[in-house]
Amino acid sequence: MVEMIKEGKIGMLEAYALVTVIIITKVFYTFPLASIKQTGTAAWYSTLISCACAIAFFVLVYLLLKRFPQKDLYQVFEAVLGQKIGRFLVLVFSVYFLYYAGINLSEFVNILKIYCMPLTPQEVLVAGFLIVTAAMAYVGLEGISRVAYILFYLIIAGLVLILLLAIPFYDFHYLKPWFGYGLGVTVKEGILRTSSYDTVIILAIIANSLQGLKNLKRVGLACLLTAGAVFSICLACVLAAFQYTAGGEYISGMNHLSRIIYYSRFFQRVEAIFVFVWVFASVIAVSATFYIALSSYCRVFNITNHRPLLMPFLFLTFAFSSLPKNMAEIIDIYVRFIRGYSLFLIVLAPVLVLLIAMLMGKRGGKASETQ
Amino acid sequence: MKLNKRTFLIKSVALLFICCLALSGCYDAKEIDQEVYALVIGVDKGTGNMIRVTFQVSTYKEGEGGDSGDSDKSSGELSGTVISTVEATSLIESINMLNSASNRQISLSQAKMVVFSEEYAREGVGRYIEPLTRYREVGDLMRVLVCRGRAEDYIMENKSLIGRSLSKDIELSFLQAANTGYYPDVFLNEFYVKLSSPYAQTIATYTAINDFDVLPEDSTEQNTVQPLPDLQPGEIPRKGGNKREMLGTVVFNGDKMVGYLNQNETRFYLLATGKFKRGLFTIDDPKSPGDYIVLNVTAHGVPKVTATFENGVPHIKLKMLIDIEIAAIQNRENYYLNPAAYVELEKYIETYFSSGILDVIEKTQKEWNSDIFEFGKYIAGNFRTIQEFERYGWREHYREAKVEIELNANISRAGYYYHPRPIRSDK
């Protein structure tokens, strides 16, 4: 059986805050650019198609966990696929989350260099960020989720503030033509971009730290609905402010939205609000996914204490963040993989495991069975 | 022992955290004093393929911006600012070149406006707008202007006569756009977005220097005064005050200037696009030739626009409501006591505004084929996909559009007087 690090328990709101922040952080990066480039004026509802697919996926994950009470996703993998294949799959997940953390970090640092700190060497920014990540991963899941819970309100408030302040610059006629580049393209991209929501699977990975399966279902659905609403509204606002032509050009559409806010000569140039919100969200997202990668690895090899592995994993994250040579590679290759194609791993794996479990009639024991 | 080690570890981690906060930003840290901030950027044609870029930067001396009469043409000092011109291949390169002659780095982060000479605007400004919008330092809230004559000459007369701060002076002058409606307030971001927009064409503010030689010396020189003279910036008959004048709208087709709207046409344009806030209009009195009625017009919301296709021809309908307050009636006619005259005046005003707006739309269609009214965004609703809309090419079809206007004017107030008496004169 996969041994667990003692992660403690986290509350419903903490779990909701943590996973929601992990999912919505990408709206501050190149997510609007990629969505608008692919789907044009239909970006705002293409993401709702992704959200619906993600909800369907999450329901399947919930059904899988329901078959195996008091087991989290990794334990279910082992129970259904056997020890070797199950642990191999967990190792693949660990590598994926490490890659996710590294590429997100690279994206964050590059955008930071473009918008705020052009002269600072990338390595210095990455190293500074990783020191914070290390500190958060050191304290573990409980610490990260509590930080997420506190900063969640600030992040949402900052985001809402930017969207509200930019209202005079919106013209929702720019959302026409309504079908973007065609309904076929919109639906196809909508389904592929379910990958943008697939980090909701973290709830299934930390299921034993939550307060029961019912809470897991509620938290998961709440996270997905919140993220869907945030993405849809942000994309609609970016389209309304910049049209699909310029909206598909700006590296960070949300940053540019904060730059055009102007009420008088006393109330302008408020993009500093955005930087705070963005950095808070990024720190939580990268730290949480880094921790998940680390704890997944520990569970494969029955390591009960994750702290000695912090340095090697930080080094690997640094390596992943150094993989992309430039911004174009980040957007068109690495991030495209995470937000466009990762569903073939993250979504497909649990769904296949569920199918196998159903076909082979495998079920978990009753609630009294220990981990 | 264990507790001590743990405490030591926690404290070390906390200390590292704090160090990170202190160290971030060191490379990019700059003292305010290390930089000098360009307030105005001017772009003129240079020799060959070069451009001439003029920067007006604020100095940190006392009396900055106020017209103390201090100017030194050789060093470019003008009332607390320094004006430098350099010829270069590109705008960003020009900053680089000037930095070699300056003890402080020139920063564009506080630039309030970019001024293109008309000669340059007619050749195309796209290649110089793009670096400005791509460059990190430049704010999206910089204004875009086109000036008659050379931008360098315009900037040489750009000084603040009231107050010490030139940047405040520039900012306040753009607020006048909302008070008069004589020129639009165009931000760099809006200008750039419309350059590549399939929905509309872009505009800029028209500006020039007034040398105060337009005001006629002898009042008997002109027999009749036109209530709506077609004025270009720099031609307002006035004396004294700031020489800088903004009046009218520059119309672009793509990135090239193709024409301009005068101050009255600009107000009709702003009314039709929902950007007009308030302003005074002087119209002929229909009952008393030679006398005028001055109207204080406030737009009532944004016009409702519907766009459809009938037999392949785009049909656009505008529905608008304006609120009128009569500011002056020179012949002191009492419209309130005569409902028929009141209604007739409202109809006259409606006809005046409708025909004014239609004339401006027709001008942009026939002379320039430039949809500055953004009707394209309403037309786009008739297409299902972006490919269909782009294949149709609305910007090329704009001249074919048939436009109708339904304008309602509501005279809600007539100033202080309800029942003005005729002026008595004893014989």
Side-chain angles (χ1 to χ4, degrees):
Chain A
M1 192 59 66
V2 176
E3 289 287 336
M4 273 182 49
I5 301 165
K6 291 208 177 2
E7 286 169 343
K9 292 282 186 191
I10 60 176
M12 261 179 68
L13 280 177
E14 287 170 351
Y16 166 75
L18 177 68
V19 176
T20 305
V21 168
I22 293 172
I23 299 175
I24 68 171
T25 299
K26 55 182 71 72
V27 83
F28 299 117
Y29 300 153
T30 58
F31 177 79
L33 156 75
S35 293
I36 293 171
K37 237 174 79 167
Q38 299 291 332
T39 51
T41 51
W44 64 278
Y45 65 84
S46 171
T47 195
L48 294 175
I49 296 174
S50 309
C51 183
C53 294
I55 290 173
F57 155 63
F58 184 74
V59 166
L60 292 172
V61 169
Y62 168 74
L63 290 174
L64 177 65
L65 292 176
K66 208 173 163 190
R67 285 178 81 88
F68 298 87
Q70 294 202 334
K71 279 189 173 25
D72 61 37
L73 190 68
Y74 291 163
Q75 288 168 329
V76 170
F77 284 166
E78 203 180 341
V80 174
L81 302 172
Q83 197 184 58
K84 285 189 181 148
I85 299 174
R87 289 195 182 195
F88 176 74
L89 192 55
V90 174
L91 189 61
V92 169
F93 269 58
S94 172
V95 171
Y96 169 75
F97 279 113
L98 196 63
Y99 171 84
Y100 185 101
I103 295 304
N104 266 347
L105 178 57
S106 179
E107 191 181 14
F108 167 78
V109 162
N110 275 280
I111 293 176
L112 193 66
K113 277 182 73 68
I114 290 169
Y115 284 96
C116 303
M117 293 174 152
L119 302 177
T120 309
Q122 183 164 333
E123 296 76 22
V124 170
L125 292 171
V126 171
F129 197 103
L130 285 177
I131 289 170
V132 177
T133 302
M136 289 184 69
Y138 184 87
V139 294
L141 182 69
E142 274 189 40
I144 297 173
S145 60
R146 278 171 200 158
V147 169
Y149 177 64
I150 293 166
L151 294 179
F152 173 75
Y153 298 102
L154 276 168
I155 292 166
I156 294 294
L159 187 61
V160 167
L161 192 64
I162 291 166
L163 292 176
L164 288 177
L165 287 175
I167 282 176
F169 305 95
Y170 299 149
D171 187 341
F172 288 99
H173 291 285
Y174 292 145
L175 268 58
K176 300 173 194 166
W178 295 111
F179 290 122
Y181 287 114
L183 209 52
V185 170
T186 304
V187 170
K188 178 192 146 210
E189 284 296 321
I191 293 170
L192 273 181
R193 295 185 84 82
T194 306
S195 309
S196 305
Y197 294 82
D198 63 16
T199 37
V200 73
I201 204 167
I202 287 173
L203 284 173
I205 295 169
I206 59 170
N208 286 328
S209 298
L210 300 177
Q211 317 285 344
L213 210 56
K214 254 196 185 152
N215 287 337
L216 180 141
K217 184 176 88 175
R218 280 189 209 137
V219 170
L221 289 175
C223 289
L224 289 171
L225 289 170
T226 306
V230 166
F231 286 157
S232 182
I233 292 169
C234 289
L235 285 168
C237 290
V238 169
L239 279 167
F242 303 120
Q243 305 176 22
Y244 70 91
T245 42
E249 286 180 358
Y250 292 132
I251 293 279
S252 172
M254 292 304 296
N255 193 335
H256 275 272
L257 208 55
S258 68
R259 285 162 68 94
I260 62 170
I261 293 169
Y262 181 91
Y263 281 88
S264 70
R265 58 195 179 88
F266 298 112
F267 199 89
Q268 54 173 314
R269 308 291 294 265
V270 295
E271 55 260 32
I273 304 172
F274 170 81
V275 175
F276 272 109
V277 170
W278 171 39
V279 171
F280 289 155
S282 304
V283 163
I284 293 166
V286 173
S287 302
T289 45
F290 172 83
Y291 175 79
I292 295 295
L294 178 55
S295 74
S296 304
Y297 182 87
C298 291
R299 289 168 68 166
V300 171
F301 297 104
N302 294 340
I303 299 168
T304 51
N305 184 8
H306 68 284
R307 287 165 187 168
L309 288 169
L310 271 176
M311 282 304 295
F313 267 71
L314 286 172
F315 182 77
L316 284 172
T317 309
F318 186 91
F320 272 127
S321 74
S322 307
L323 273 179
K325 275 189 258 181
N326 50 48
M327 200 68 210
E329 273 193 20
I330 292 174
I331 297 169
D332 289 330
I333 302 174
Y334 296 94
V335 167
R336 179 84 178 130
F337 169 71
I338 290 173
R339 295 177 197 154
Y341 298 102
S342 67
L343 69 106
F344 292 110
L345 167 68
I346 303 296
V347 171
L348 211 57
V351 170
L352 282 175
V353 167
L354 174 64
L355 278 171
I356 293 169
M358 285 166 74
L359 285 171
M360 294 173 72
K362 289 198 174 181
R363 273 184 188 281
K366 293 215 169 124
S368 58
E369 192 177 291
T370 56
Q371 295 165 0
Chain B
M1 255 334 246
K2 255 193 184 169
L3 198 61
N4 284 342
K5 261 193 188 169
R6 196 177 167 176
T7 313
F8 174 75
L9 205 58
I10 290 170
K11 282 182 181 169
S12 309
V13 169
L15 189 63
L16 262 173
F17 229 128
I18 292 162
C19 286
C20 290
L21 285 173
L23 290 171
S24 65
C26 273
Y27 286 90
D28 285 279
K30 269 185 199 149
E31 294 287 319
I32 290 176
D33 213 21
Q34 265 181 275
E35 290 187 321
V36 68
Y37 299 99
L39 297 176
V40 184
I41 307 167
V43 181
D44 289 301
K45 241 184 114 154
T47 51
N49 273 346
M50 309 273 261
I51 51 164
R52 276 208 174 177
V53 187
T54 305
F55 293 100
Q56 184 172 21
V57 301
S58 64
T59 64
Y60 303 126
K61 291 179 186 172
E62 249 185 62
E64 178 253 312
D67 185 16
S68 56
D70 292 342
S71 71
D72 179 354
K73 282 208 166 143
S74 61
S75 65
E77 273 191 77
L78 177 75
S79 302
T81 64
V82 166
I83 298 169
S84 310
T85 303
V86 64
E87 201 164 275
T89 47
S90 71
L91 212 140
I92 308 296
E93 178 61 32
S94 66
I95 300 171
N96 238 11
M97 290 174 74
L98 269 183
N99 278 338
S100 63
S102 169
N103 58 358
R104 288 172 167 85
Q105 192 166 343
I106 295 175
S107 168
L108 300 183
S109 60
Q110 302 297 327
K112 299 295 174 194
M113 57 185 187
V114 59
V115 185
F116 292 98
S117 66
E118 185 171 337
E119 187 193 3
Y120 209 81
R122 287 189 184 273
E123 289 189 9
V125 300
R127 56 212 295 240
Y128 298 107
I129 286 290
E130 199 268 357
L132 277 177
T133 50
R134 189 188 284 266
Y135 194 43
R136 190 184 83 61
E137 271 187 12
V138 173
D140 288 343
L141 299 173
M142 192 163 65
R143 266 74 170 201
V144 181
L145 290 82
V146 172
C147 78
R148 293 175 61 208
R150 295 180 61 76
E152 185 184 348
D153 298 335
Y154 178 85
I155 292 172
M156 288 302 297
E157 297 291 348
N158 185 37
K159 52 192 174 193
S160 169
L161 299 182
I162 302 169
R164 290 177 170 268
S165 168
L166 180 63
S167 71
K168 179 176 171 178
D169 188 77
I170 294 171
E171 288 256 25
L172 287 175
S173 62
F174 285 104
L175 291 185
Q176 295 296 356
N179 290 331
T180 62
Y182 279 149
Y183 54 92
D185 190 3
V186 183
F187 290 104
L188 177 65
N189 169 69
E190 186 192 333
F191 186 88
Y192 173 73
V193 165
K194 285 188 190 159
L195 278 182
S196 58
S197 168
Y199 301 102
Q201 301 274 14
T202 194
I203 57 167
T205 309
Y206 205 17
T207 188
I209 292 297
N210 190 325
D211 289 322
F212 303 143
D213 53 7
V214 184
L215 186 68
E217 289 297 335
D218 186 348
S219 59
T220 59
E221 259 184 46
Q222 268 181 290
N223 292 326
T224 53
V225 176
Q226 298 295 323
L228 306 164
D230 177 2
L231 294 175
Q232 290 193 1
E235 289 179 356
I236 296 178
R238 64 182 181 99
K239 246 188 196 161
N242 210 317
K243 284 192 169 186
R244 186 184 66 219
E245 243 170 47
M246 293 179 214
L247 203 74
T249 304
V250 173
V251 177
F252 283 81
N253 193 323
D255 68 335
K256 294 186 175 62
M257 174 182 171
V258 290
Y260 73 92
L261 300 175
N262 66 34
Q263 81 280 16
N264 295 303
E265 289 168 340
T266 296
R267 293 204 287 180
F268 290 131
Y269 157 72
L270 293 173
L271 269 168
T273 50
K275 292 176 191 162
F276 183 84
K277 299 266 185 320
R278 69 197 80 82
L280 290 167
F281 283 75
T282 304
I283 58 174
D284 285 321
D285 190 329
K287 287 182 175 297
S288 177
D291 286 332
Y292 303 108
I293 298 175
V294 181
L295 309 170
N296 194 349
V297 179
T298 309
H300 207 275
V302 178
K304 286 192 181 59
V305 182
T306 51
T308 50
F309 279 89
E310 287 167 33
N311 299 322
V313 176
H315 279 252
I316 297 165
K317 284 187 190 144
L318 273 87
K319 220 171 160 184
M320 17 194 315
L321 176 64
I322 54 175
D323 192 75
I324 308 278
E325 181 177 339
I326 298 178
I329 303 176
Q330 287 185 339
N331 75 350
R332 294 172 69 80
E333 170 88 26
N334 190 350
Y335 286 97
Y336 273 121
L337 288 184
N338 184 352
Y342 190 88
V343 168
E344 202 186 312
L345 179 62
E346 273 188 347
K347 289 258 170 296
Y348 175 71
I349 291 171
E350 285 169 1
T351 310
Y352 169 80
F353 280 98
S354 310
S355 56
I357 294 171
L358 273 172
D359 287 344
V360 175
I361 294 174
E362 212 177 288
K363 185 174 181 178
T364 59
Q365 284 179 297
K366 293 203 167 118
E367 284 188 37
W368 308 310
N369 193 26
S370 175
D371 177 16
I372 58 173
F373 293 86
E374 299 183 64
F375 292 137
K377 63 189 186 194
Y378 303 102
I379 286 284
N382 292 283
F383 298 89
R384 289 181 316 162
T385 65
I386 291 173
Q387 294 94 316
E388 278 178 25
F389 178 54
E390 288 184 351
R391 216 177 304 128
Y392 174 72
W394 160 249
R395 279 161 48 148
E396 283 82 52
H397 283 89
Y398 171 60
R399 55 162 45 105
E400 299 163 12
K402 303 269 179 260
V403 184
E404 286 168 32
I405 296 179
E406 187 187 312
L407 187 144
N408 288 310
N410 177 36
I411 303 175
S412 47
R413 290 165 297 278
Y416 285 153
Y417 300 137
Y418 177 65
H419 182 188
R421 301 284 180 186
I423 293 173
R424 290 177 195 279
S425 58
D426 294 326
K427 286 183 185 159

